[in-house]
Amino acid sequence: MMTQYALGKQADQLMTLFASAAIEINGQIKPMNLTKTREGNQVRFSIEVPASEVGTITRRIIKDTQDQIVWSDKVNIIKSDTDLRTVIPIEPTWKGGGGLG
């Protein structure tokens, strides 16, 4: 089984790997501010969407420093003219298995 120390190292890697964010709103991909926080092994990535962006958000995207997509999902968020923070919590876990045979 993977130790808490190793799971913590995986969380550290996520904090480093996830570098920037974007959303797809009204059919257009637009860069957004990304905030990262960590509590224990859980890492929270917050995408900040300003009030000036209004419409339907259909995808959240996180990229690495080389602008490669490392995480994305499809959503259906109706965004009004207020600031919005959408949070993506990720917690590395160990799934047993890997036995030989």
Side-chain angles (χ1 to χ4, degrees), residues 9 11 22 24 28-29 34 36 46 50 56-57 62 64 72 79 83-84 93:
K9 287 296 192 180
E24 182 175 347
Q28 296 183 333
I29 304 289
L34 178 68
K36 304 179 264 188
S46 300
T56 303
I57 300 171
I62 299 179
D64 67 6
S72 74
K79 166 78 174 55
D83 291 337
L84 172 72
T93 58

PDB file of all heavy atoms in Angstrom, residues 9 11 22 24 28-29 34 36 46 50 56-57 62 64 72 79 83-84 93:
ATOM      1  N   LYS A   9       3.579  13.301  -1.800  1.00  0.00           N
ATOM      2  CA  LYS A   9       4.467  13.623  -2.922  1.00  0.00           C
ATOM      3  C   LYS A   9       3.671  13.728  -4.226  1.00  0.00           C
ATOM      4  O   LYS A   9       3.951  14.589  -5.063  1.00  0.00           O
ATOM      5  CB  LYS A   9       5.577  12.575  -3.065  1.00  0.00           C
ATOM      6  CG  LYS A   9       6.626  12.664  -1.996  1.00  0.00           C
ATOM      7  CD  LYS A   9       7.351  13.981  -2.112  1.00  0.00           C
ATOM      8  CE  LYS A   9       8.591  14.026  -1.260  1.00  0.00           C
ATOM      9  NZ  LYS A   9       9.273  15.309  -1.379  1.00  0.00           N
ATOM     10  N   ALA A  11       0.541  14.694  -4.417  1.00  0.00           N
ATOM     11  CA  ALA A  11      -0.166  15.980  -4.310  1.00  0.00           C
ATOM     12  C   ALA A  11       0.777  17.125  -4.668  1.00  0.00           C
ATOM     13  O   ALA A  11       0.385  18.068  -5.361  1.00  0.00           O
ATOM     14  CB  ALA A  11      -0.738  16.155  -2.906  1.00  0.00           C
ATOM     15  N   ALA A  22      -8.349  27.509 -18.155  1.00  0.00           N
ATOM     16  CA  ALA A  22      -9.180  28.121 -19.185  1.00  0.00           C
ATOM     17  C   ALA A  22     -10.585  27.557 -19.035  1.00  0.00           C
ATOM     18  O   ALA A  22     -10.787  26.543 -18.365  1.00  0.00           O
ATOM     19  CB  ALA A  22      -8.635  27.809 -20.576  1.00  0.00           C
ATOM     20  N   GLU A  24     -14.312  27.007 -21.504  1.00  0.00           N
ATOM     21  CA  GLU A  24     -15.019  27.189 -22.768  1.00  0.00           C
ATOM     22  C   GLU A  24     -16.335  27.832 -22.405  1.00  0.00           C
ATOM     23  O   GLU A  24     -17.138  27.262 -21.652  1.00  0.00           O
ATOM     24  CB  GLU A  24     -15.240  25.864 -23.480  1.00  0.00           C
ATOM     25  CG  GLU A  24     -15.935  26.032 -24.812  1.00  0.00           C
ATOM     26  CD  GLU A  24     -16.055  24.727 -25.581  1.00  0.00           C
ATOM     27  OE1 GLU A  24     -15.402  23.742 -25.213  1.00  0.00           O
ATOM     28  OE2 GLU A  24     -16.832  24.718 -26.545  1.00  0.00           O
ATOM     29  N   GLN A  28     -16.225  29.521 -26.992  1.00  0.00           N
ATOM     30  CA  GLN A  28     -14.863  30.039 -27.114  1.00  0.00           C
ATOM     31  C   GLN A  28     -14.033  29.638 -25.900  1.00  0.00           C
ATOM     32  O   GLN A  28     -14.520  29.692 -24.767  1.00  0.00           O
ATOM     33  CB  GLN A  28     -14.870  31.563 -27.215  1.00  0.00           C
ATOM     34  CG  GLN A  28     -15.552  32.101 -28.448  1.00  0.00           C
ATOM     35  CD  GLN A  28     -15.463  33.617 -28.509  1.00  0.00           C
ATOM     36  OE1 GLN A  28     -15.365  34.291 -27.486  1.00  0.00           O
ATOM     37  NE2 GLN A  28     -15.485  34.157 -29.707  1.00  0.00           N
ATOM     38  N   ILE A  29     -12.776  29.241 -26.134  1.00  0.00           N
ATOM     39  CA  ILE A  29     -11.844  28.930 -25.052  1.00  0.00           C
ATOM     40  C   ILE A  29     -11.192  30.236 -24.602  1.00  0.00           C
ATOM     41  O   ILE A  29     -10.634  30.962 -25.423  1.00  0.00           O
ATOM     42  CB  ILE A  29     -10.748  27.940 -25.519  1.00  0.00           C
ATOM     43  CG1 ILE A  29     -11.362  26.668 -26.092  1.00  0.00           C
ATOM     44  CG2 ILE A  29      -9.762  27.668 -24.392  1.00  0.00           C
ATOM     45  CD1 ILE A  29     -11.996  25.766 -25.082  1.00  0.00           C
ATOM     46  N   LEU A  34      -5.942  30.802 -12.258  1.00  0.00           N
ATOM     47  CA  LEU A  34      -5.950  29.537 -11.516  1.00  0.00           C
ATOM     48  C   LEU A  34      -5.330  29.765 -10.147  1.00  0.00           C
ATOM     49  O   LEU A  34      -4.233  30.297 -10.029  1.00  0.00           O
ATOM     50  CB  LEU A  34      -5.163  28.464 -12.267  1.00  0.00           C
ATOM     51  CG  LEU A  34      -5.058  27.104 -11.578  1.00  0.00           C
ATOM     52  CD1 LEU A  34      -6.427  26.424 -11.522  1.00  0.00           C
ATOM     53  CD2 LEU A  34      -4.055  26.217 -12.303  1.00  0.00           C
ATOM     54  N   LYS A  36      -4.321  27.669  -6.519  1.00  0.00           N
ATOM     55  CA  LYS A  36      -4.087  26.315  -6.009  1.00  0.00           C
ATOM     56  C   LYS A  36      -3.945  26.369  -4.494  1.00  0.00           C
ATOM     57  O   LYS A  36      -3.236  27.220  -3.965  1.00  0.00           O
ATOM     58  CB  LYS A  36      -2.818  25.729  -6.609  1.00  0.00           C
ATOM     59  CG  LYS A  36      -2.817  25.712  -8.121  1.00  0.00           C
ATOM     60  CD  LYS A  36      -1.530  25.155  -8.672  1.00  0.00           C
ATOM     61  CE  LYS A  36      -0.561  26.264  -9.020  1.00  0.00           C
ATOM     62  NZ  LYS A  36       0.634  25.792  -9.734  1.00  0.00           N
ATOM     63  N   SER A  46      -8.877  26.261  -8.120  1.00  0.00           N
ATOM     64  CA  SER A  46     -10.000  27.183  -8.299  1.00  0.00           C
ATOM     65  C   SER A  46      -9.798  27.974  -9.580  1.00  0.00           C
ATOM     66  O   SER A  46      -8.738  28.572  -9.788  1.00  0.00           O
ATOM     67  CB  SER A  46     -10.095  28.157  -7.116  1.00  0.00           C
ATOM     68  OG  SER A  46     -10.286  27.459  -5.912  1.00  0.00           O
ATOM     69  N   PRO A  50     -14.329  36.108 -14.127  1.00  0.00           N
ATOM     70  CA  PRO A  50     -14.776  37.459 -13.788  1.00  0.00           C
ATOM     71  C   PRO A  50     -16.227  37.728 -14.221  1.00  0.00           C
ATOM     72  O   PRO A  50     -16.772  37.048 -15.096  1.00  0.00           O
ATOM     73  CB  PRO A  50     -13.812  38.368 -14.540  1.00  0.00           C
ATOM     74  CG  PRO A  50     -13.332  37.547 -15.691  1.00  0.00           C
ATOM     75  CD  PRO A  50     -13.328  36.120 -15.204  1.00  0.00           C
ATOM     76  N   THR A  56     -22.782  30.509 -21.137  1.00  0.00           N
ATOM     77  CA  THR A  56     -22.795  29.118 -20.701  1.00  0.00           C
ATOM     78  C   THR A  56     -21.385  28.538 -20.753  1.00  0.00           C
ATOM     79  O   THR A  56     -20.768  28.489 -21.825  1.00  0.00           O
ATOM     80  CB  THR A  56     -23.733  28.281 -21.596  1.00  0.00           C
ATOM     81  OG1 THR A  56     -25.047  28.857 -21.554  1.00  0.00           O
ATOM     82  CG2 THR A  56     -23.811  26.845 -21.111  1.00  0.00           C
ATOM     83  N   ILE A  57     -20.900  28.114 -19.591  1.00  0.00           N
ATOM     84  CA  ILE A  57     -19.603  27.445 -19.499  1.00  0.00           C
ATOM     85  C   ILE A  57     -19.842  25.967 -19.753  1.00  0.00           C
ATOM     86  O   ILE A  57     -20.654  25.341 -19.067  1.00  0.00           O
ATOM     87  CB  ILE A  57     -18.957  27.660 -18.118  1.00  0.00           C
ATOM     88  CG1 ILE A  57     -18.731  29.156 -17.858  1.00  0.00           C
ATOM     89  CG2 ILE A  57     -17.648  26.873 -17.999  1.00  0.00           C
ATOM     90  CD1 ILE A  57     -18.292  29.467 -16.430  1.00  0.00           C
ATOM     91  N   ILE A  62      -7.450  22.634 -17.410  1.00  0.00           N
ATOM     92  CA  ILE A  62      -6.220  22.993 -16.716  1.00  0.00           C
ATOM     93  C   ILE A  62      -5.057  22.509 -17.566  1.00  0.00           C
ATOM     94  O   ILE A  62      -5.076  21.395 -18.100  1.00  0.00           O
ATOM     95  CB  ILE A  62      -6.158  22.389 -15.299  1.00  0.00           C
ATOM     96  CG1 ILE A  62      -7.320  22.931 -14.461  1.00  0.00           C
ATOM     97  CG2 ILE A  62      -4.824  22.717 -14.637  1.00  0.00           C
ATOM     98  CD1 ILE A  62      -7.388  22.401 -13.056  1.00  0.00           C
ATOM     99  N   ASP A  64      -0.555  22.503 -18.302  1.00  0.00           N
ATOM    100  CA  ASP A  64       0.759  22.543 -17.668  1.00  0.00           C
ATOM    101  C   ASP A  64       1.552  23.735 -18.215  1.00  0.00           C
ATOM    102  O   ASP A  64       1.019  24.551 -18.982  1.00  0.00           O
ATOM    103  CB  ASP A  64       1.505  21.214 -17.847  1.00  0.00           C
ATOM    104  CG  ASP A  64       1.898  20.924 -19.291  1.00  0.00           C
ATOM    105  OD1 ASP A  64       1.719  21.778 -20.192  1.00  0.00           O
ATOM    106  OD2 ASP A  64       2.405  19.808 -19.533  1.00  0.00           O
ATOM    107  N   SER A  72      -9.427  18.113 -17.805  1.00  0.00           N
ATOM    108  CA  SER A  72     -10.589  18.858 -18.297  1.00  0.00           C
ATOM    109  C   SER A  72     -11.844  18.064 -17.987  1.00  0.00           C
ATOM    110  O   SER A  72     -11.798  16.855 -17.763  1.00  0.00           O
ATOM    111  CB  SER A  72     -10.491  19.134 -19.803  1.00  0.00           C
ATOM    112  OG  SER A  72     -10.725  17.986 -20.553  1.00  0.00           O
ATOM    113  N   LYS A  79     -23.607  31.190 -16.484  1.00  0.00           N
ATOM    114  CA  LYS A  79     -22.838  32.218 -15.783  1.00  0.00           C
ATOM    115  C   LYS A  79     -23.466  33.586 -16.003  1.00  0.00           C
ATOM    116  O   LYS A  79     -23.597  34.048 -17.124  1.00  0.00           O
ATOM    117  CB  LYS A  79     -21.393  32.166 -16.313  1.00  0.00           C
ATOM    118  CG  LYS A  79     -20.520  33.339 -15.982  1.00  0.00           C
ATOM    119  CD  LYS A  79     -20.013  33.297 -14.572  1.00  0.00           C
ATOM    120  CE  LYS A  79     -19.016  34.401 -14.308  1.00  0.00           C
ATOM    121  NZ  LYS A  79     -19.477  35.747 -14.600  1.00  0.00           N
ATOM    122  N   ASP A  83     -18.925  37.617 -10.355  1.00  0.00           N
ATOM    123  CA  ASP A  83     -17.713  36.801 -10.278  1.00  0.00           C
ATOM    124  C   ASP A  83     -18.081  35.372  -9.898  1.00  0.00           C
ATOM    125  O   ASP A  83     -19.011  35.143  -9.131  1.00  0.00           O
ATOM    126  CB  ASP A  83     -16.752  37.368  -9.233  1.00  0.00           C
ATOM    127  CG  ASP A  83     -16.143  38.696  -9.649  1.00  0.00           C
ATOM    128  OD1 ASP A  83     -16.100  38.985 -10.864  1.00  0.00           O
ATOM    129  OD2 ASP A  83     -15.701  39.448  -8.764  1.00  0.00           O
ATOM    130  N   LEU A  84     -17.343  34.414 -10.431  1.00  0.00           N
ATOM    131  CA  LEU A  84     -17.593  33.002 -10.160  1.00  0.00           C
ATOM    132  C   LEU A  84     -16.267  32.309  -9.882  1.00  0.00           C
ATOM    133  O   LEU A  84     -15.281  32.544 -10.587  1.00  0.00           O
ATOM    134  CB  LEU A  84     -18.270  32.333 -11.361  1.00  0.00           C
ATOM    135  CG  LEU A  84     -18.415  30.811 -11.304  1.00  0.00           C
ATOM    136  CD1 LEU A  84     -19.470  30.405 -10.281  1.00  0.00           C
ATOM    137  CD2 LEU A  84     -18.744  30.253 -12.677  1.00  0.00           C
ATOM    138  N   THR A  93      -5.169   8.976  -4.314  1.00  0.00           N
ATOM    139  CA  THR A  93      -5.483   7.813  -3.491  1.00  0.00           C
ATOM    140  C   THR A  93      -4.793   6.603  -4.094  1.00  0.00           C
ATOM    141  O   THR A  93      -4.423   6.589  -5.270  1.00  0.00           O
ATOM    142  CB  THR A  93      -6.997   7.546  -3.419  1.00  0.00           C
ATOM    143  OG1 THR A  93      -7.494   7.356  -4.734  1.00  0.00           O
ATOM    144  CG2 THR A  93      -7.732   8.671  -2.742  1.00  0.00           C
TER     145      THR A  93
END
